[in-house]
Amino acid sequence: MFLRATTRKKDGKVHCYYSVVENRRVAGGRVVQRHVLYLGEINASQERAWRRSIEVIEDGADAPRTVALFPEDRVTGLLPDASIVTLKLAAMRLVRPRQWGACWLALTLWQTLDLDVFFAERLAPSRKGTRWDLAVFVLAAYRLISPGSEWRLHREWYGRTALCDLLGTDEAIVDPHVLYRAHDRLLAHKVALFSHLTERWRDLFNAAYEVLLYDLTSTYFESDPPLEEHDKRRHGYSRDHRPDCVQIVIALIVTAEGLPIAYEVLPGNTADSTTLRGFLQRIEHQYGRARRIWCMDRGIPTEAVLAEMRASDPPVQYLVGTPKGRLNRLESALVTKPWREARAGVKVKLLPEDGELYVYAESHDRIAKERAMRKRQLKWLWARLAQLSTMELTRDALLMKLGSAQTKAPAAWRLLDVTVDARGATFRHRLNKVKLRQVRRREGRYLLRTNLTETDPVKLWHYYLQLVQVEEAFRTLKHDLAIRPIYHQHESRIEAHVFLAFLAYCLYVTLGRQLKALAPGLTARSALEKFAAVTMVDVKIPTTDGRELMLTRYTEPERELQLLLERLKLVLPPQPKPKITAAQAATAVPL
């Protein structure tokens, strides 16, 4: 096992990316190489740490070790004959293979965030002994590892995992009634969870809360619209491109490092611009009034809310994107301002006006990306229109096909002038060069506005780029944690479903932060897949006197997982103790 470096020249710079590679000998004496872990672009200290870890794993790979079936104090010469057990090794069976590694990792992350203590204090067991806190963990772990419906969790997933071994519970914990009632007990503790996480993020990662990132998304339902007027399931602007489905809107606040601290579930027809005022009040009520910088995308704050933020005492500071249409009013004033270098490939102009600072930014990389996207879409649309012009279609069919082309390439359609004959089934199209020149001038350019006294363009640009942390959180919730679609029918359980997805995301981002300190190329999902390869199995060996010895064992981790464990400073728990059935009973007793 060794580190392989791959160099790539990008934007005039040479970047070096690292991977962990393993040599394996195959038939014929040949050696093949297997890619083990992708580490990304790591620094020199991280490279040295990985090399030391590989040396530790390699040195101990072939070291012999002694394996004992029974504890060492069971010496044959000192025990009575009745205690000697003779095994029928030929009749040994391996039963109940189940996933163990990812479940153990989820439990470790849960305990790292002290969520076991948090829920144990707030969710007392029922009179029948149901551990609601453990049911919440099972639901969150399920959402993290293999998300799906509660029915699938009850019917098959729980039985295929080693959660019963890790938690010391049986399948009663995943009875459908238990799972749904666990949902019903969650929402009362949402605000307390936000405060708890704020302290844990500070203790674990030294998180700062001076910069807060705010954004919204939507998630849809596979159900009919509800009849109740107060229900939050409503038709609205769908970011999932499912306008046919009812939805809810989720507003999320994360720190600049991507650590989530609060969220809110809103009706599906909520306009983005109506949400900010309420969130400002909630954050101030829960965390006090302090100097914070709110970073938001355009469309979220209204002029009235921004005025209130400026007029408050002390002023609430913000950095917000601005619609490109505002450039028409400010373009003449910006022309006379000098360019300032924000970073390599990014330059800005600063324009103070009306107690605010406008930041006009131009990114060379973004210009190239947006220009390539526009060219690709325009090239397709032009070819499609040329194809339609040669078809023999009725007027109605032509209009339908033109509408389909417009839907597929809306940005490129705005650059063309398409004229359909009033009576016939023909049309003409030409490129609008005036619109094209205007679009080219604005590609890769952004207009930001802020009331910050900070005028360093590097910091202002860095603050705005951090909005990708919120977008990354939404991508994780929707793809890795599969928050959509939602099948619950009761509104409280719908919100509890989002609550559980939020908990799973907290576990996900905790693992991601731990991995990021080791190598930026390591993702939480790749680590979970590595841990999921560790399975648990029951080894059953009958004895000559009619009893049965059972050894419950998890498989030895592969070398790449050993490397991950060593770098994460995680130690696997000891293997469970052997059990043997009593001579006259079916119950198993530990040895």
Side-chain angles (χ1 to χ4, degrees):
M1 197 181 295
F2 59 94
L3 279 184
R4 169 180 287 169
T6 303
T7 58
R8 178 187 176 192
K9 190 172 183 180
K10 180 180 178 182
D11 301 329
K13 296 182 181 179
V14 176
H15 301 265
C16 191
Y17 303 93
Y18 285 86
S19 298
V20 179
V21 180
E22 181 183 36
N23 285 333
R24 285 194 171 185
R25 190 168 298 279
V26 296
R30 295 184 301 110
V31 175
V32 296
Q33 293 183 344
R34 184 174 71 96
H35 182 275
V36 175
L37 291 173
Y38 174 70
L39 305 180
E41 195 170 9
I42 59 178
N43 56 39
S45 61
Q46 290 173 329
E47 178 190 354
R48 288 192 296 271
W50 279 102
R51 291 190 186 279
R52 285 196 298 269
S53 298
I54 291 174
E55 291 172 1
V56 170
I57 300 298
E58 289 292 301
D59 290 342
D62 300 323
R65 57 192 182 93
T66 303
V67 179
L69 180 61
F70 299 104
E72 296 179 359
D73 57 344
R74 301 293 179 89
V75 182
T76 305
L78 301 179
L79 292 176
D81 293 342
S83 298
I84 299 176
V85 178
T86 308
L87 305 177
K88 296 180 180 180
L89 295 180
M92 179 179 66
R93 296 180 298 136
L94 302 180
V95 297
R96 284 193 66 214
R98 49 204 185 272
Q99 200 284 317
W100 183 85
C103 296
W104 175 79
L105 180 60
L107 181 59
T108 302
L109 296 170
W110 188 262
Q111 294 168 347
T112 299
L113 292 179
D114 286 345
L115 292 176
D116 53 337
V117 178
F118 176 84
F119 284 107
E121 292 175 347
R122 290 165 175 80
L123 299 177
S126 68
R127 289 180 296 176
K128 295 181 180 180
T130 302
R131 291 285 303 274
W132 301 113
D133 57 326
L134 297 185
V136 171
F137 165 70
V138 171
L139 286 163
Y142 175 55
R143 182 62 44 188
L144 174 69
I145 299 170
S146 180
S149 66
E150 281 72 18
W151 176 245
R152 173 175 170 264
L153 167 61
H154 157 73
R155 183 168 52 89
E156 58 181 51
W157 185 79
Y158 185 80
R160 295 177 181 176
T161 69
L163 284 175
C164 55
D165 304 271
L166 292 167
L167 302 178
T169 59
D170 54 25
E171 292 191 356
I173 199 71
V174 292
D175 181 86
H177 299 289
V178 173
L179 296 179
Y180 289 127
R181 288 170 184 168
H183 281 71
D184 298 336
R185 288 164 167 78
L186 284 177
L187 294 181
H189 310 293
K190 187 169 74 169
V191 176
L193 176 68
F194 296 159
S195 301
H196 172 80
L197 288 174
T198 302
E199 295 300 322
R200 290 306 294 153
W201 300 139
R202 183 180 288 113
D203 295 340
L204 290 171
F205 307 118
N206 195 26
Y209 302 100
E210 287 78 16
V211 179
L212 298 181
L213 314 177
Y214 177 70
D215 206 351
L216 300 100
T217 191
S218 60
T219 185
Y220 62 90
F221 297 77
E222 295 285 357
S223 65
D224 296 327
L227 299 177
E228 296 82 2
E229 294 183 359
H230 66 277
D231 200 293
K232 293 183 178 180
R233 287 171 289 178
R234 287 286 177 262
H235 285 286
Y237 170 66
S238 176
R239 297 162 177 84
D240 301 319
H241 308 291
R242 291 297 304 269
D244 58 313
C245 295
V246 290
Q247 65 178 19
I248 55 173
V249 171
I250 302 174
L252 179 66
I253 295 180
V254 304
T255 67
E257 297 85 7
L259 302 172
I261 62 171
Y263 78 92
E264 193 60 53
V265 177
L266 306 168
N269 57 358
T270 302
D272 292 359
S273 58
T274 63
T275 63
L276 180 59
R277 182 181 286 110
F279 247 102
L280 291 172
Q281 295 171 354
R282 291 190 192 96
I283 294 299
E284 181 179 321
H285 175 74
Q286 185 166 2
Y287 301 106
R289 179 173 293 185
R291 183 183 181 274
R292 296 187 184 93
I293 303 171
W294 288 76
C295 293
M296 298 161 286
D297 212 343
R298 61 187 182 187
I300 292 180
T302 62
E303 291 295 332
V305 173
L306 291 179
E308 292 175 9
M309 296 172 74
R310 291 192 297 268
S312 64
D313 187 24
V316 179
Q317 298 179 316
Y318 58 83
L319 177 65
V320 59
T322 304
K324 292 183 179 180
R326 190 176 287 264
L327 276 173
N328 296 331
R329 182 169 63 85
L330 301 175
E331 202 163 15
S332 58
L334 285 167
V335 168
T336 60
K337 298 295 180 180
W339 286 106
R340 298 176 61 178
E341 194 76 13
R343 67 174 188 180
V346 177
K347 55 184 181 179
V348 301
K349 290 184 177 183
L350 304 179
L351 175 64
E353 185 173 296
D354 299 331
E356 292 182 302
L357 180 67
Y358 285 89
V359 183
Y360 182 57
E362 178 183 281
S363 170
H364 293 168
D365 292 341
R366 192 67 190 181
I367 289 175
K369 180 178 180 179
E370 293 185 6
R371 192 158 291 173
M373 293 167 60
R374 187 252 307 159
K375 287 181 178 179
R376 183 169 60 250
Q377 196 176 110
L378 186 59
K379 182 179 179 180
W380 176 88
L381 180 60
W382 192 266
R384 178 58 177 165
L385 294 179
Q387 184 183 24
L388 292 178
S389 64
T390 62
M391 294 182 180
E392 295 183 2
L393 301 170
T394 64
R395 179 178 172 80
D396 290 342
L398 175 64
L399 293 175
M400 291 180 64
K401 290 185 179 294
L402 288 175
S404 176
Q406 180 182 5
T407 302
K408 189 171 181 179
W413 183 274
R414 289 192 288 268
L415 302 179
L416 301 180
D417 292 331
V418 181
T419 305
V420 182
D421 290 346
R423 296 181 179 180
T426 60
F427 69 96
R428 296 181 301 277
H429 64 282
R430 66 181 183 86
L431 183 66
N432 190 321
K433 295 183 179 180
V434 176
K435 291 183 179 179
L436 178 61
R437 282 193 293 268
Q438 185 181 32
V439 168
R440 283 178 58 88
R441 285 200 308 269
R442 294 181 178 178
E443 285 173 336
R445 297 167 176 89
Y446 304 91
L447 183 64
L448 314 178
R449 60 191 296 193
T450 179
N451 64 340
L452 288 169
T453 57
E454 176 64 62
T455 58
D456 184 356
V458 178
K459 290 185 177 180
L460 294 174
W461 180 250
H462 179 68
Y463 286 156
Y464 189 68
L465 286 183
Q466 289 170 343
L467 277 176
V468 299
Q469 298 288 352
V470 190
E471 296 170 359
E472 180 64 28
F474 289 146
R475 279 194 294 270
T476 301
L477 284 169
K478 292 185 176 183
H479 297 286
D480 280 350
L481 305 181
I483 192 175
R484 62 183 182 183
I486 302 176
Y487 298 98
H488 292 282
Q489 300 298 319
H490 299 291
E491 184 176 352
S492 61
R493 289 178 181 171
I494 291 169
E495 296 200 36
H497 172 85
V498 180
F499 188 104
L500 289 165
F502 180 80
L503 285 174
Y505 180 67
C506 291
L507 302 181
Y508 187 94
V509 78
T510 300
L511 178 59
R513 287 284 297 175
Q514 293 173 342
L515 292 169
K516 187 176 181 180
L518 307 179
L522 284 175
T523 64
R525 182 53 57 190
S526 64
L528 283 167
E529 291 172 354
K530 294 291 183 184
F531 276 87
V534 180
T535 59
M536 176 169 275
V537 68
D538 292 339
V539 183
K540 294 189 175 183
I541 310 174
T543 66
T544 55
D545 58 0
R547 293 183 291 172
E548 189 174 57
L549 174 70
M550 185 173 71
L551 300 167
T552 300
R553 292 291 182 267
Y554 59 79
T555 57
E556 290 294 323
E558 296 291 334
R559 297 170 71 186
E560 60 263 30
L561 184 54
Q562 293 178 18
L563 184 61
L564 263 181
L565 288 167
E566 198 275 336
R567 296 294 294 120
L568 289 170
K569 296 181 173 57
L570 294 177
V571 179
L572 295 179
Q575 298 279 12
K577 293 182 179 181
K579 297 179 180 180
I580 190 168
T581 57
Q584 301 296 329
T587 57
V589 295
L591 292 176

